[in-house]
């Protein structure tokens, strides 16, 4: 609490009392702490690939360049770490744009059926590499209002994760279903799952259940934070259910086309 005090002086110039104002700053303190944690996390996340880039470059310059096998190995690492750095910076910029006060959606009619077919095409090769069966299922007419670029980003992030956290020969299914007032988008996988304890934390920036695994799959730890913000911007509700070693399902419930401004959007949050 912040406390301010002021005396109350009567007409006879005598002290009649004191006014104390208690200001609850818990929220402010929490925000400040979250900001500090974020800066610390970003610095750490950026430092790791940079340290590795520096180390391998210096080793090459110190003579490792002469050995063709070492040269190939180190340059491959340098190239991978540069990619990581690039995705990290990309995701950070995206997140800061999305969280910024000037962020606007380009509202249009979007057919989620078409969109999941597009995403399937884009990620088919990645799924094939792991012999994962990537499927789409459609029920009804899943048209909503939203920003096509941002919606694709949501689905791509979810499906990308589903493929990354599903062992070889598993299934990943994108499902869209028209309901009375809403359209439901589900991304279901038969992957490693997430424990009950960790489930509420996966939307936090930089939170990973398994850091090494996430790093190997090229993850930045920001994908789900981006999904959460974009779902909120669309007034959509985001849920996740999971069972360890069985699989995970992310659900995004959007208002149907025409419902966006008519109804109190809060009810979906
Ligand atoms: P990352 O870049 O690490 O994948 P995300 O923000 O996309 O970061 O996800 C946060 C964490 O949530 C991941 O590191 C992973 O531990 C967990 N996760 C996300 N999607 C899935 C999934 N489909 N199955 C299992 N775990 C998942």
């Amino acid at each position: 609490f912040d406390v301010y005090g002021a005396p109350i002086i009567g007409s006879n110039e005598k002290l009649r009392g004191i006014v104390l104002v208690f200001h609850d700053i818990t929220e402010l303190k929490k925000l400040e702490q979250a900001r500090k944690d974020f800066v610390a996390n970003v610095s750490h996340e950026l430092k790791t690939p940079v340290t590795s880039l520096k180390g391998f470059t210096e080793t090459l310059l110190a003579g490792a360049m002469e050995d063709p096998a070492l040269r190939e190995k180190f340059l491959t690492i340098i190239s991978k770490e540069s990619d990581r750095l690039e995705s990290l910076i990309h995701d950070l910029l995206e997140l800061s744009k999305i969280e910024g006060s000037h962020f606007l959606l380009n509202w249009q009619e979007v057919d989620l059926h078409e969109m999941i077919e597009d995403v399937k095409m884009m990620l088919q090769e990645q799924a094939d590499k792991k012999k994962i069966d990537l499927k789409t299922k459609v029920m009804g007419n899943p048209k909503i209002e939203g920003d096509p670029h941002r919606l694709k980003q949501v689905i791509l992030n979810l499906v990308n994760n589903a493929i990354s956290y599903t062992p070889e020969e598993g299934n990943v299914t994108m499902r869209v279903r028209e309901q009375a007032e809403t359209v439901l988008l589900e991304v279901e996988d038969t992957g490693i799952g997430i424990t009950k304890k960790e489930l509420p934390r996966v939307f936090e920036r930089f939170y990973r259940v398994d850091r090494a695994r996430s790093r190997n799959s090229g993850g930045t730890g920001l994908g789900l934070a981006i999904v959460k913000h974009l779902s909120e911007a669309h007034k959509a509700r985001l849920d996740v259910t999971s069972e360890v070693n069985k699989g995970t399902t992310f659900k995004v419930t959007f208002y149907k086309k025409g419902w966006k401004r008519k109804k109190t959007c809060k009810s979906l949050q």
Side-chain angles (χ1 to χ4, degrees):
F1 283 99
D2 260 357
V3 187
Y4 302 97
I8 306 173
I9 312 289
S11 49
N12 54 1
E13 307 234 320
K14 278 203 172 143
L15 182 70
R16 289 186 57 198
I18 292 174
V19 181
L20 287 178
V21 179
F22 292 90
H23 191 196
D24 184 354
I25 54 165
T26 327
E27 272 312 306
L28 269 176
K29 278 260 186 279
K30 266 194 207 155
L31 272 176
E32 178 60 13
Q33 191 53 46
R35 197 192 59 78
K36 280 186 186 156
D37 290 348
F38 181 61
V39 174
N41 278 330
V42 170
S43 315
H44 174 78
E45 296 289 334
L46 290 173
K47 212 172 161 208
T48 317
V50 171
T51 307
S52 150
L53 285 176
K54 243 182 117 188
F56 285 106
T57 319
E58 277 163 13
T59 318
L60 278 172
L61 288 174
M65 199 112 88
E66 312 303 324
D67 179 336
L70 269 187
R71 187 171 61 213
E72 169 92 22
K73 189 176 166 202
F74 290 176
L75 284 175
T76 310
I77 299 176
I78 289 175
S79 163
K80 264 200 173 156
E81 289 297 305
S82 317
D83 284 347
R84 253 187 66 70
L85 203 55
E86 192 181 30
S87 344
L88 190 61
I89 292 168
H90 173 267
D91 279 1
L92 275 171
L93 287 175
E94 279 297 300
L95 197 61
S96 98
K97 205 190 298 171
I98 294 166
E99 287 185 333
S101 50
H102 298 298
F103 179 63
L104 286 177
L105 290 178
N106 171 21
W107 292 99
Q108 287 176 27
E109 177 181 299
V110 179
D111 184 344
L112 287 182
H113 180 187
E114 275 173 28
M115 191 157 280
I116 60 170
E117 295 301 339
D118 278 1
V119 171
K120 180 170 159 41
M121 252 183 350
M122 291 168 78
L123 297 181
Q124 189 65 61
E125 202 185 320
Q126 202 175 312
D128 288 346
K129 272 190 201 152
K130 288 182 77 179
K131 300 192 194 79
I132 284 174
D133 190 4
L134 182 59
K135 288 182 273 205
T136 57
K137 286 196 178 149
V138 180
M139 271 174 75
N141 184 15
K143 289 213 175 98
I144 60 166
E145 275 177 83
D147 184 327
H149 167 65
R150 298 303 179 180
L151 289 169
K152 191 170 273 177
Q153 204 175 356
V154 166
I155 307 175
L156 275 170
N157 277 346
L158 292 176
V159 180
N160 226 322
N161 278 347
I163 297 174
S164 297
Y165 300 106
T166 297
E168 292 208 346
E169 301 190 356
N171 295 316
V172 171
T173 311
M174 286 178 264
R175 213 175 282 119
V176 283
R177 189 189 308 154
E178 178 187 8
Q179 303 181 135
E181 295 174 12
T182 53
V183 171
L184 176 67
L185 161 80
E186 283 179 305
V187 177
E188 185 186 83
D189 65 53
T190 56
I192 58 171
I194 306 165
T195 62
K196 277 223 157 41
K197 197 172 136 233
E198 266 148 335
L199 212 49
R201 300 204 59 191
V202 293
F203 297 105
E204 289 174 22
R205 295 178 286 197
F206 295 119
Y207 187 83
R208 285 111 153 193
V209 176
D210 180 342
R211 189 168 281 267
R213 190 173 191 130
S214 160
R215 248 182 91 80
N216 282 338
S217 67
T220 61
L222 294 172
L224 287 181
I226 292 175
V227 167
K228 181 170 176 254
H229 270 89
L230 288 179
S231 302
E232 279 168 6
H234 280 89
K235 307 281 178 220
R237 177 185 159 137
L238 178 61
D239 297 297
V240 55
T241 51
S242 188
E243 216 175 309
V244 173
N245 294 327
K246 284 248 168 83
T248 306
T249 305
F250 284 90
K251 293 183 194 184
V252 196
T253 314
F254 297 95
Y255 276 104
K256 236 178 183 167
K257 189 178 167 293
W259 282 86
K260 181 171 72 75
R261 290 176 194 90
K262 245 191 269 170
K263 289 271 163 183
T264 48
C265 295
K266 276 273 177 275
S267 60
L268 265 192
Q269 301 276 338

